[in-house]
Amino acid sequence: MAEWADLVAFVRHEYRVIRDEPDEIRIRLSYGDDDYEERAQTVVIAREIFDRREDWVQIATPFARVDEVDLATVLTEIGNTIVVGGLVVMGEHLVLRHSLPLVNLDINEFTDPLELVAGSAELLEQQFTGRDDY
């Protein structure tokens, strides 16, 4: 998979798409089963062009508002537990995100970080807000 269109086609086939735009697609991942309360996480998958020449894909998902959590505690938790992604502030939200170059991208190089970023954000949201807003 080396083209944005190929990645988008894969995402449309494999995931529940909730928004689809030319350079951005949003999906909703669900967690839980019949025995547990189901939670969900919205993930933004966006095409980014690095240095005006290289296509990258960015995986991002919010998990809290900046004003609702102690940032130092969140950063400490992420530093101790999160394998992929980084914490950024986007507007009023704390967002866990990860970026990958599209050139020669294998599907597992996309799906594994996608699942890790979304699952980690879901756990952080639950831990720091106790809600399921995103």
Side-chain angles (χ1 to χ4, degrees):
M1 180 177 322
E3 300 287 329
W4 173 249
D6 297 329
L7 179 62
V8 168
F10 171 79
V11 169
R12 286 180 184 141
H13 184 263
E14 296 294 322
Y15 298 96
R16 181 175 160 227
V17 175
I18 57 173
R19 187 170 171 185
D20 195 342
E21 297 181 10
D23 287 331
E24 178 182 295
I25 190 165
R26 293 183 187 207
I27 61 173
R28 191 126 174 110
L29 299 178
S30 296
Y31 300 91
D33 57 30
D34 294 338
D35 296 331
Y36 299 98
E37 178 182 331
E38 187 168 305
R39 296 178 58 89
Q41 194 68 29
T42 299
V43 181
V44 178
I45 302 162
R47 178 182 181 207
E48 302 290 339
I49 300 176
F50 183 66
D51 286 345
R52 297 184 191 168
R53 59 188 163 91
E54 293 180 28
D55 278 344
W56 282 63
V57 60
Q58 182 180 99
I59 302 163
T61 182
F63 64 90
R65 290 176 47 98
V66 175
D67 61 355
E68 293 181 325
V69 298
D70 177 45
L71 191 54
T73 304
V74 172
L75 287 169
T76 300
E77 180 67 18
I78 288 172
N80 290 330
T81 61
I82 304 300
V83 177
V84 299
L87 179 67
V88 297
V89 174
M90 295 179 121
E92 300 173 342
H93 295 96
L94 288 177
V95 176
L96 195 59
R97 76 175 182 190
H98 189 73
S99 297
L100 305 156
L102 275 173
V103 66
N104 299 322
L105 182 69
D106 289 328
I107 197 60
N108 67 310
E109 293 172 325
F110 170 75
T111 57
D112 290 347
L114 171 69
E115 297 291 332
L116 286 170
V117 167
S120 296
E122 178 58 32
L123 292 172
L124 290 166
E125 180 181 17
Q126 192 170 19
Q127 179 179 351
F128 287 100
T129 73
R131 297 187 310 270
D132 188 26
D133 295 337
Y134 307 102

